[in-house]
Amino acid sequence: MKYIDDFRRNDLAQKLARGIAAAVQPGRDYQLMEFCGGHTHAIFRYGVQDLMPSNVHYVHGPGCPVCVLPIGRVDLAIALARQNLILCTYGDLLRVPGSGRTSLLKAKAEGADVRMVYSTQDALHIARANPQRQVVFFAIGFETTTPPSAVALKQAKAEGLSNFSLVCNHVLTPAAIHGILHTPLPGQLAIDGLLGPSHVSTVIGTQPYVPLAQTYAKPIVISGFEPLDVMQASLMLIRQINQGRHEVENEYTRAVSAEGNRKALALVAEVFELRPSFEWRGLGRLPDSALQIRPEYAEFDAERRFDLPQQPAEEVKGCDCPSILRGIKRPSDCKLFGSVCTPDNPMGSCMVSSEGACAAYWTYGRFRQEAA
């Protein structure tokens, strides 16, 4: 634990706060978007915003793969679960509302065999233990969780596990950043720089962000999830903004390299290929922003094996999750936040996910007069 504690030291936080206060220029605002919900929760949990000068603002971004999964894909998972098979997925997804306030958890209560797993290996184990039944793993995640899905498909193929298949919802971070920066909406909050995701970057490295920083003239600093990581990365961004630079810098050098994890990337490329188009919650359909299973593994592709609905679904009336995911609104701007939408009765994915911005506001910031 000492290694983690070093990145939470109060004396170092105070020193960084003084450095940031000295670096900011009076008379200008700094809008820093944190892409990951892990950063959002670190900012709230450790009071990082309270250590910032009043002209440094954090803008919450897409958060996590659960947050950006469109309602239509949740509906697809629920429809699949009702086909007398075993549906396995990660816990955060179970309570995400689909159309008509349904969810996988409610489908389970109605009799569907929905099982929460902690890894793809759990799903494979269930398939081996139930050879008479079809087992589908509903896979979600950015680049961080894609390699384990690739491993699971390779194992299933090697074992001839004919009752196992996977629904691929793996999405790509650089494409999402492009979607945010490429299509600004009227009145949308300007972004001066981005805190880049840490866990994703351990897989893809820092190089994929370089074209984004150059194209949109926005500095990007890869940041770890501890409070001192976020503060150090914020200082690096502020210095770049002051100097008019727009480069990719790496604060999280203890885990992220320029080229990423080549073995993992090769594994993913062997099993998955680019999906021409994929719908993101809040961002709409983005080209080449997600993955699909290669034809060589088609027998394990649940979207080919089963008859699944592919229909768009409407957002919950009054829910501002799409605007929150783009950084246009904060959770406290949503009329449903804290009233009808709470962790016990979520209206949108941002309140359900452990990395969601609404969950962060609810857990750490709802008692403040002015949340961050």
Side-chain angles (χ1 to χ4, degrees):
M1 289 299 291
K2 183 178 184 303
Y3 193 64
I4 294 177
D5 292 343
D6 285 344
F7 290 91
R8 300 176 181 176
R9 283 175 51 179
N10 179 61
D11 59 328
L12 295 179
Q14 295 295 335
K15 183 178 180 180
L16 274 170
R18 290 193 294 272
I20 291 171
V24 298
Q25 297 174 347
R28 71 163 301 169
D29 284 327
Y30 298 82
Q31 309 287 354
L32 311 181
M33 171 176 272
E34 77 272 7
F35 185 91
C36 272
H39 293 141
T40 307
H41 279 254
I43 289 167
F44 275 86
R45 181 178 181 182
Y46 298 103
V48 172
Q49 181 70 69
D50 296 339
L51 296 172
M52 294 292 114
S54 59
N55 56 341
V56 176
H57 310 281
Y58 289 110
V59 181
H60 316 311
C64 72
V66 171
C67 294
V68 298
L69 193 69
I71 292 177
R73 298 295 283 190
V74 179
D75 289 345
L76 184 152
I78 295 169
L80 190 55
R82 288 171 171 165
Q83 293 191 25
N84 193 31
L85 48 74
I86 301 174
L87 185 89
C88 303
T89 192
Y90 297 126
D92 272 4
L93 191 64
L94 297 183
R95 297 177 62 243
V96 176
S99 296
R101 301 295 312 281
T102 58
S103 68
L104 283 171
L105 201 58
K106 290 181 179 178
K108 181 180 176 66
E110 294 166 357
D113 196 345
V114 179
R115 304 190 189 186
M116 184 188 77
V117 295
Y118 292 98
S119 72
T120 56
Q121 293 302 306
D122 290 344
L124 283 176
H125 175 74
I126 291 171
R128 296 185 189 107
N130 297 273
Q132 76 285 4
R133 298 189 63 190
Q134 290 294 320
V135 176
V136 178
F137 177 62
F138 195 79
I140 61 171
F142 288 112
E143 292 89 337
T144 317
T145 56
T146 308
S149 292
V151 170
L153 290 181
K154 283 180 66 71
Q155 284 184 277
K157 188 170 187 176
E159 296 176 22
L161 207 56
S162 60
N163 67 323
F164 178 81
S165 58
L166 182 148
V167 178
C168 181
N169 298 284
H170 288 299
V171 290
L172 304 174
T173 303
I177 295 176
H178 170 78
I180 292 170
L181 298 178
H182 183 66
T183 56
L185 300 176
Q188 182 176 346
L189 191 64
I191 299 169
D192 297 307
L194 293 101
L195 296 171
S198 53
H199 293 169
V200 165
S201 302
T202 61
V203 177
I204 66 174
T206 62
Q207 288 299 320
Y209 304 104
V210 173
L212 294 167
Q214 294 175 342
T215 300
Y216 298 104
K218 304 293 183 187
I220 299 174
V221 176
I222 310 303
S223 170
F225 285 142
E226 294 300 325
L228 294 190
D229 287 319
V230 175
M231 294 184 70
Q232 177 62 39
S234 299
L235 178 57
M236 294 165 71
L237 280 176
I238 289 167
R239 286 171 173 165
Q240 283 208 54
I241 294 167
N242 289 344
Q243 297 165 7
R245 294 188 290 120
H246 39 84
E247 302 170 4
V248 176
E249 295 181 330
N250 182 15
E251 182 277 335
Y252 199 41
T253 54
R254 62 187 184 277
V256 172
S257 63
E259 68 277 7
N261 187 327
R262 293 179 178 176
K263 186 174 182 179
L265 291 172
L267 183 61
V268 170
E270 178 184 340
V271 177
F272 297 106
E273 62 184 6
L274 277 178
R275 191 186 289 259
S277 179
F278 192 78
E279 181 184 0
W280 293 59
R281 192 171 199 182
L283 303 181
R285 298 199 73 87
L286 298 177
D288 298 332
S289 64
L291 299 176
Q292 62 186 11
I293 298 172
R294 285 189 177 277
E296 294 88 336
Y297 290 84
E299 62 191 292
F300 303 101
D301 188 344
E303 292 185 77
R304 303 183 193 217
R305 179 179 288 186
F306 299 96
D307 181 23
L308 301 175
Q310 299 283 353
Q311 297 179 350
E314 294 184 0
E315 294 288 342
V316 176
K317 188 176 182 180
C319 176
D320 279 333
C321 268
S323 296
I324 293 168
L325 294 169
R326 293 185 66 92
I328 302 172
K329 290 186 177 181
R330 292 174 178 268
S332 51
D333 296 329
C334 179
K335 294 179 180 178
L336 304 184
F337 176 80
S339 54
V340 297
C341 183
T342 66
D344 290 334
N345 185 42
M347 294 291 115
S349 54
C350 296
M351 185 62 88
V352 179
S353 169
S354 60
E355 296 182 272
C358 294
Y361 270 64
W362 177 267
T363 305
Y364 304 113
R366 62 192 163 107
F367 296 119
R368 298 185 181 193
Q369 288 186 337
E370 182 178 359

